Amino acid sequence: MFKPNLFLERVTDITPEMLNEIGVKALLLDVDNTLSTHHGTELTEGLMDWIAYMQSAGIPLLVFSNSKDKRVRPFAEKIGLPYMSLGLKPLPFGYFRGAKRLGLKRKEIALCGDQFFTDLLGAKTTGTKIILLKPILLEDKWSFKVRRYL
């Protein structure tokens, strides 16, 4: 029930063809440990080229994070994408807002993230598809260690 639709190494491994195979028309992109390290500002290698590739293929991208606006806005502006901060994952409200903003049904959207408890659980309980990614860098705080262990 809570298996990802795809499990990949990094966000730049996603292709329009993969999305088409699972019926996805747009992506919600988590920030921390998906597009950059946790609270980092450095972009993952090849991210800007991947964004341009996805956009040229007509795939809408929306940065979607639980972090506050002061964290998400500068990052989204740096990569030139629209964003939603305070997504409240795994609660359903953010997923509903994201789908509405993209003008699509939740089943036509996939969330790309690295966390089971926030990203996968929230996506699956709202009918949003999930592309689970390996974290860029494992966090060393005890709360992250517990969540990843579980």
Side-chain angles (χ1 to χ4, degrees), residues 68-143:
K68 294 179 182 176
D69 195 74
K70 70 179 183 177
R71 158 76 174 131
V72 182
R73 182 176 13 94
F75 192 89
E77 288 173 351
K78 183 176 185 175
I79 61 175
L81 292 177
Y83 73 94
M84 284 180 48
S85 55
L86 295 175
L88 302 175
K89 298 177 285 180
L91 298 175
F93 316 113
Y95 294 91
F96 298 153
R97 286 187 359 226
K100 184 175 181 178
R101 183 150 176 202
L102 290 165
L104 295 167
K105 297 175 183 173
R106 290 185 308 278
K107 68 180 181 179
E108 299 174 313
I109 298 169
L111 173 71
C112 303
D114 68 306
Q115 290 279 338
F116 180 87
F117 284 109
T118 53
D119 301 325
L120 189 130
L121 181 63
K124 287 297 186 176
T125 58
T126 61
T128 305
K129 295 191 173 122
I130 179 76
I131 300 172
L132 198 60
L133 305 169
K134 273 185 78 174
I136 295 169
L137 180 66
L138 291 176
E139 303 88 350
D140 58 1
K141 291 183 180 176
W142 70 270
S143 63

Side-chain angles (χ1 to χ4, degrees), residues 23-41:
V24 168
K25 297 179 181 179
L27 295 175
L28 299 173
L29 303 169
D30 184 38
V31 176
D32 292 325
N33 260 330
T34 300
L35 303 178
S36 184
T37 57
H38 190 71
H39 288 287
T41 57

